[in-house]
Amino acid sequence: RLRHYSYSTEKTYVDWCRRFYAWLTGTTGGSEITNQGIRSDHVRDFLSHLAIQQRVSASTQNQAFNALLFLCREVLCISLSDLDKTVRAKRGVRLPAVFTVEEIRNLLQVSAGKDRLYLQLIYGTGLRLMEAVRLRVQDIDFDAGLLYVRGGKGDKDRTTMLPIGVRDMLRSHLGEVKKIHDHDLSLGYGEVNLPDSLERKYPGAQKKWGWQWVFPSSKLSVD
């Protein structure tokens, strides 16, 4: 968290640390670790265990490697010789599964309401799943025909085109969301989570319309 890693990365790294510890204690009984500490061969043996016994994918093995490398270097401050030279699993080339135009058309035809708008927006703008979930009202520029992605993959901002075909439906959807937001405000709610420490820099911004989610929860949630 101090290094501003994403929350999903934080949870993943902690999970791999727990799994590594469980494997170590089950293999060595814990006494070897207590007396001698963690060594490079422990990490290499664990990665081999994942590949051979657990038959994990190359991406999963590399994820475990990154988590344990971070644990040893940054958390435990242990200098493990040649750990960075451990053989990394290589991902084979795979052909992508791509929908045809007709399949996309059929998918959109059987969807309706907010679900259809959500699918059309992802398809027309190229948004990732969580980028669409975290979209805020102020990130949509109808006049310029642009959509702003804040803190996307790699914590990078970017813009993408806002398709003409979804603009009217999106305006109508935001009108309904605005009614819900106004009703929440009248009941003393209507706050939204803000990035970093903006709620301290701009008191009251969490209730402003521009910061609200484009696709909010269907019910009140506790932050």
Side-chain angles (χ1 to χ4, degrees):
R1 192 166 300 176
L2 184 66
R3 292 174 176 268
H4 292 273
Y5 281 30
S6 69
Y7 184 53
S8 60
T9 299
E10 178 182 328
K11 292 191 296 182
T12 299
Y13 278 21
V14 169
D15 180 63
W16 277 118
C17 291
R18 289 195 179 107
R19 294 169 68 174
F20 179 54
Y21 178 75
W23 177 84
L24 276 177
T25 54
T27 303
T28 66
S31 58
E32 181 179 339
I33 307 172
T34 303
N35 297 330
Q36 303 178 18
I38 297 176
R39 302 192 308 270
S40 299
D41 57 300
H42 289 144
V43 177
R44 285 195 292 268
D45 289 346
F46 178 66
L47 296 176
S48 298
H49 165 75
L50 292 177
I52 299 173
Q53 275 74 40
Q54 299 295 322
R55 300 176 61 86
V56 302
S57 65
S59 59
T60 300
Q61 185 185 5
N62 286 332
Q63 185 186 76
F65 176 90
N66 292 330
L68 298 182
L69 186 64
F70 184 87
L71 169 68
C72 295
R73 285 181 171 178
E74 309 297 338
V75 181
L76 302 178
C77 297
I78 298 175
S79 178
L80 299 180
S81 61
D82 298 331
L83 181 59
D84 56 345
K85 297 180 181 180
T86 300
V87 176
R88 305 290 294 271
K90 295 182 179 179
R91 299 183 61 181
V93 178
R94 298 290 184 269
L95 294 176
V98 181
F99 284 146
T100 65
V101 174
E102 187 62 28
E103 287 173 329
I104 290 293
R105 185 178 292 111
N106 293 336
L107 178 64
L108 294 178
Q109 286 178 349
V110 297
S111 60
K114 186 176 69 174
D115 292 336
R116 182 172 185 175
L117 173 61
Y118 193 81
L119 291 173
Q120 286 180 319
L121 196 63
I122 290 179
Y123 179 67
T125 61
L127 291 179
R128 296 180 176 88
L129 176 64
M130 294 309 299
E131 290 173 347
V133 170
R134 295 168 179 164
L135 195 62
R136 298 179 190 265
V137 174
Q138 63 184 8
D139 295 332
I140 301 174
D141 189 338
F142 287 102
D143 294 333
L146 292 176
L147 191 149
Y148 295 87
V149 179
R150 311 289 184 182
K153 188 173 183 179
D155 196 26
K156 297 178 181 178
D157 294 350
R158 72 177 191 278
T159 60
T160 184
M161 303 299 293
L162 181 63
I164 296 176
V166 302
R167 295 184 189 181
D168 289 342
M169 188 182 299
L170 187 56
R171 282 193 177 97
S172 176
H173 169 74
L174 290 178
E176 296 300 320
V177 174
K178 183 66 164 59
K179 294 178 182 177
I180 297 174
H181 177 57
D182 290 340
H183 178 68
D184 289 342
L185 289 176
S186 67
L187 299 177
Y189 302 114
E191 296 186 8
V192 69
N193 177 267
L194 297 183
D196 301 324
S197 58
L198 288 181
E199 67 272 10
R200 293 199 303 270
K201 296 179 181 177
Y202 306 105
Q206 61 269 30
K207 291 187 176 183
K208 299 295 184 182
W209 168 237
W211 285 103
Q212 303 304 307
W213 306 118
V214 174
F215 298 101
S217 171
S218 59
K219 59 183 180 180
L220 293 175
S221 60
V222 178
D223 185 352

